[in-house]
C-alpha cells in the first residue's frame, strides 16, 4: 500500500510538471532518433518537400518548415498537416496520405500538438449531379502549373528546385505513351505509386474523381495527343 501511494504521488508530481493551465499536458521534446526519422519521412518518403523547404532542401511554392513553430501555434500546425482544406478551404496544399503514426510524428517534429488533429475526411466529397463541371484549366493553374508550367512545358517556378525535372505535359511524344488511366493514377496517388519521384504529390485526398478526370482531359489539350491506341475507347481487347 505504501509503495502504491508513493507511485501515485510520483505520477501526480509528474503531471504537475507537464501540465500548463489551459493547455493540457505538454508533449516532451522528440528524441534525436525520432527527429531524424521525421526528417527522413519528410525528405525521402512523403511529398512535403516538393513544395516546402527544410534545412536548405525542397521546393519554394510554400513556406519553409524550418522553425514553423515560431510562426504558427501548435493547434494550427496540427490542423494544417491533418487536413489543409478543412482549415483553409481553397489553399493550394493537398492532404498527404500517410499512416496516423507518421502524421503524429511529423506534427510533433514541426511543433504541433497531435491531440489537436481532428479525424479527417478520408476522401473529398463527390460532386453532386447539379454541381458545375470542373474546369481542368483552372485546376491545372492551381495544382500543377507551379512545377509543370502554365502551358505544360515543365518550366514552372518550382521546377528548378526538384530532384528530377517535372513531366512536360506539352510533349506529345512523351504524353502519347501514357494512357489516360496512367495519368489519372499519377495525379490521384502520386509519383511514387507509378515508379516516379515521390515529391510529385498525391491529390486523391483533396480532389474529386471528376476533378482529376478534368485534369487528365486538360493535359490532353496541352499535348494535343491521345494515349496509346490500345488504351483508347473502342480499342480491341
Amino acid at each position: 500500500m505504501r509503495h502504491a501511494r508513493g507511485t501515485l504521488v510520483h505520477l501526480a508530481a509528474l503531471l504537475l510538471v507537464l501540465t500548463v493551465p489551459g493547455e493540457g499536458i505538454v508533449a516532451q521534446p522528440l528524441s534525436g532518433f525520432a527527429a531524424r526519422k521525421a526528417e527522413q519521412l519528410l525528405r525521402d518518403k512523403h511529398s512535403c518537400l516538393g513544395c516546402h523547404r527544410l534545412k536548405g532542401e525542397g521546393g519554394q511554392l510554400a513556406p519553409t518548415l524550418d522553425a514553423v513553430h515560431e510562426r504558427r501555434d501548435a493547434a494550427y500546425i496540427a490542423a494544417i498537416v491533418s487536413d489543409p482544406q478543412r482549415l483553409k478551404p481553397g489553399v493550394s496544399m493537398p492532404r498527404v496520405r500517410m499512416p496516423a503514426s507518421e502524421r503524429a510524428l511529423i506534427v510533433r517534429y514541426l511543433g504541433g500538438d497531435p491531440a489537436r488533429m481532428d479525424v479527417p475526411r478520408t476522401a473529398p466529397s463527390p460532386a453532386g449531379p447539379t454541381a458545375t463541371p470542373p474546369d481542368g484549366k483552372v485546376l491545372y493553374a492551381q495544382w500543377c502549373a507551379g512545377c509543370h508550367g502554365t502551358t505544360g512545358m515543365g518550366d514552372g517556378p518550382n521546377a528548378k528546385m526538384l530532384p528530377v525535372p517535372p513531366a512536360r505535359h506539352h510533349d506529345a511524344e512523351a504524353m502519347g505513351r501514357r494512357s489516360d488511366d496512367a495519368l489519372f493514377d499519377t495525379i490521384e496517388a502520386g509519383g511514387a505509386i507509378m515508379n516516379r519521384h515521390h515529391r510529385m504529390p498525391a491529390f486523391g485526398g483533396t480532389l474529386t474523381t471528376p476533378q482529376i478526370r478534368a485534369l487528365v482531359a486538360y493535359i490532353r489539350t496541352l499535348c494535343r495527343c491521345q494515349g496509346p491506341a490500345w488504351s483508347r475507347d473502342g480499342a480491341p481487347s
Side-chain angles (χ1 to χ4, degrees):
M1 179 65 73
R2 182 176 302 172
H3 175 74
R5 186 180 297 112
T7 300
L8 289 174
V9 170
H10 176 75
L11 288 174
L14 179 62
L15 288 175
L16 182 61
V17 170
L18 297 181
T19 301
V20 177
E23 296 292 337
I25 296 177
V26 179
Q28 293 299 287
L30 291 178
S31 67
F33 173 82
R36 289 191 296 273
K37 180 178 178 180
E39 291 173 2
Q40 185 174 20
L41 289 171
L42 289 166
R43 184 181 63 247
D44 300 330
K45 181 178 181 180
H46 299 304
S47 60
C48 308
L49 297 195
C51 295
H52 298 274
R53 291 187 73 73
L54 179 67
K55 295 189 173 181
E57 180 182 354
Q60 60 181 13
L61 293 178
T64 177
L65 299 181
D66 294 308
V68 65
H69 63 280
E70 296 178 1
R71 307 187 305 273
R72 298 292 189 177
D73 63 30
Y76 180 95
I77 294 170
I80 198 73
V81 175
S82 178
D83 193 337
Q85 298 301 316
R86 175 177 289 182
L87 179 67
K88 299 180 66 176
V91 67
S92 297
M93 177 177 173
R95 180 176 186 271
V96 179
R97 292 164 169 164
M98 64 179 77
S101 59
E102 293 182 4
R103 192 180 302 279
L105 175 60
I106 288 172
V107 165
R108 283 193 63 195
Y109 172 79
L110 295 175
D113 179 4
R116 301 292 186 93
M117 293 191 301
D118 293 332
V119 177
R121 53 196 171 101
T122 56
S125 301
T130 60
T132 302
D135 187 322
K137 183 176 182 179
V138 172
L139 290 167
Y140 193 91
Q142 178 178 4
W143 298 105
C144 311
C147 295
H148 297 279
T150 56
T151 60
M153 294 295 291
D155 58 353
N158 200 49
K160 63 181 179 294
M161 311 303 294
L162 300 175
V164 297
R168 298 177 72 246
H169 295 147
H170 190 273
D171 187 335
E173 181 180 357
M175 291 299 104
R177 294 194 296 268
R178 301 187 189 181
S179 67
D180 286 0
D181 284 347
L183 293 177
F184 183 99
D185 289 347
T186 304
I187 297 169
E188 204 279 342
I193 200 71
M194 301 299 290
N195 293 319
R196 300 182 184 278
H197 205 278
H198 65 274
R199 290 192 187 168
M200 160 66 191
F203 293 99
T206 302
L207 302 180
T208 64
T209 294
Q211 287 175 321
I212 298 175
R213 287 176 177 158
L215 281 171
V216 172
Y218 184 69
I219 289 171
R220 290 300 179 202
T221 70
L222 292 176
C223 69
R224 299 181 180 180
C225 70
Q226 295 179 290
W230 60 262
S231 69
R232 301 174 198 165
D233 289 341
S237 58

